[in-house]
Amino acid sequence: MPTIVSQGRSGVSGIPLPPVPNVLVLGGTTEASALAEALAARGLSATLSYAGRVERPRAQPVPVRIGGFGGVTGLQRHLRENRVTHLVDATHPFAATMSAHALAAARNGGVPHLRLTRPAWRAQAGDRWRHVADIEAAVAALAGPPRRVMLALGRMHVGAFAAQPQHHYLLRFVDRADLAPVLPHHDLVVDRGPFTAAADLDLLREHAIDIVVCKNAGGSGAQAKLVAARELGLPVLMIDRPADPGGKAVHRVDEVMDWLDHGAHRGV
Ligand code: 3Y8
Ligand code: NAP
């Protein structure tokens, strides 16, 4: 009976087995939460990461960490010190800095990286979209006589619209604002998505909105206002996404699970 001298992680053939997954998910989206559910259901070791932008981020079925990593080097250190085997960037398409850092840190640290993102929304029959490149272009596009504008951009970019103070703005924040927004005429709704078309239809009607401004977030969680705008025949200022951050990307949770099972360590 041969004496077993090593219990290393290798198969009978001596080819090293892939490490037991320990997944870091960069979250903050509906898709990230769905992935967390799938990872928990599979019993895989995983952590979901939030930046700490809101007071009470959604509870998750896996351990959560909150706060920045400290740039690319900070994330690289986190990957190493926590023995992360797979990095899944499931952040919002406008979280461009986080996505760039994730790709760089994964490549520098030799950690398999995958983006879980949603396809951009595309205008359908009945949509009255005007595409603008960024927040600044959306502000410029609002030049003109007073209107009733739904600014469905959250809290971080409201200040830019002070350049167009003539409008009445409907704002929607996740948390109550600690300071009154800088816009002289506004209503503030505190609500977190995912939103429904029926509720957003009521909201647009109740506030007599005549134009909607939003980011091309994609996905289902923020789409309700577009369905409502289409039904009411309202124009939409659609802010296009930042440049694609690169790296392999998929659109579905089952593609991520397949990558974890088969693809990650073949460099695919
Ligand atoms: C902290 C974590 C889940 C994820 C839910 C999705 C859907 C609902 C729709 C509108 C648009 C907006 C905003 C929005 C949506 C989902 C998703 C999504 C848009 C939470 C969350 C965090 C954030 C951060 C927050 C931003 C803000 C943006 C509101 C959790 C609820 C406008 C984006 O107050 C602030 O500083 C808020 C900041 C970044 C953009 C901004 O500029 O203000 N999201 N949103 C994440 C972190 O700390 O890492 O609590 O669940 C997540 C969600 N928000 O699991 O169910 O998948 O996109 N989020 C946009 O699309 O334009 C609202 O009102 O119609
Ligand atoms: P960002 O501008 O791309 O990132 C700025 C910095 O925030 C990053 O460099 C990182 O700090 C930290 N950060 C961002 N996402 C993080 C995460 N998931 N975990 C840990 N740190 C994170 O990001 P953002 O646009 O502000 O988005 C922040 C969060 O809100 C993300 O979770 C995103 O998915 C979510 N979100 C954003 C939007 C949006 O419209 N931007 C919409 C919905 C949800 P360090 O450099 O210190 O590591």
Side-chain angles (χ1 to χ4, degrees):
M1 179 72 169
T3 306
I4 295 177
V5 293
S6 158
Q7 294 289 343
R9 281 198 54 75
S10 64
V12 173
S13 60
I15 296 172
L17 292 172
V20 175
N22 176 30
V23 187
L24 174 64
V25 179
L26 302 177
T29 59
T30 309
E31 290 72 17
S33 297
L35 175 59
E37 294 285 347
L39 292 166
R42 181 79 73 80
L44 291 178
S45 167
T47 302
L48 188 135
S49 176
Y50 284 121
R53 286 270 184 285
V54 299
E55 285 165 13
R56 283 176 302 286
R58 176 177 169 160
Q60 294 290 344
V62 296
V64 166
R65 67 166 298 288
I66 297 179
F69 296 97
V72 175
T73 51
L75 177 52
Q76 232 175 286
R77 186 182 318 112
H78 179 93
L79 297 173
R80 186 177 63 251
E81 291 176 351
N82 292 276
R83 294 188 172 80
V84 172
T85 61
H86 300 77
L87 176 57
V88 180
D89 173 8
T91 56
H92 189 278
F94 280 70
T97 304
M98 186 70 258
S99 291
H101 288 185
L103 187 59
R107 282 179 174 166
N108 296 349
V111 176
H113 163 282
L114 183 67
R115 253 181 332 117
L116 172 60
T117 186
R118 50 268 183 128
W121 292 316
R122 300 164 66 91
Q124 301 175 26
D127 285 336
R128 295 176 54 201
W129 292 6
R130 175 182 169 188
H131 288 268
V132 289
D134 50 29
I135 296 282
E136 290 68 32
V139 173
L142 286 177
R147 304 183 74 169
R148 295 184 65 83
V149 183
M150 177 180 186
L151 213 47
L153 304 174
R155 179 173 61 100
M156 294 196 305
H157 304 288
V158 166
F161 291 84
Q164 304 287 1
Q166 71 275 27
H167 304 304
H168 184 96
Y169 290 97
L170 170 62
L171 308 175
R172 181 155 62 184
F173 290 178
V174 176
D175 296 322
R176 188 156 298 288
D178 34 18
L179 291 171
V182 292
L183 306 171
H185 317 290
H186 69 270
D187 290 313
L188 173 60
V189 167
V190 179
D191 194 1
R192 72 167 58 217
F195 303 104
T196 67
D200 275 8
L201 195 57
D202 290 346
L203 188 69
L204 293 180
R205 282 186 173 128
E206 180 191 338
H207 291 270
I209 298 302
D210 60 41
I211 183 169
V212 174
V213 182
C214 70
K215 299 172 190 167
N216 197 329
S220 57
Q223 198 168 15
K225 56 192 176 276
L226 300 179
V227 176
R230 183 184 308 133
E231 186 152 333
L232 295 173
L234 299 183
V236 172
L237 267 183
M238 181 62 72
I239 300 169
D240 291 334
R241 293 181 172 186
D244 186 290
K248 179 177 169 63
V250 297
H251 292 326
R252 298 194 324 270
V253 167
D254 63 301
E255 292 176 286
V256 179
M257 300 309 287
D258 183 57
W259 176 74
L260 290 174
D261 289 341
H262 309 298
H265 286 272
R266 290 205 312 271
V268 292

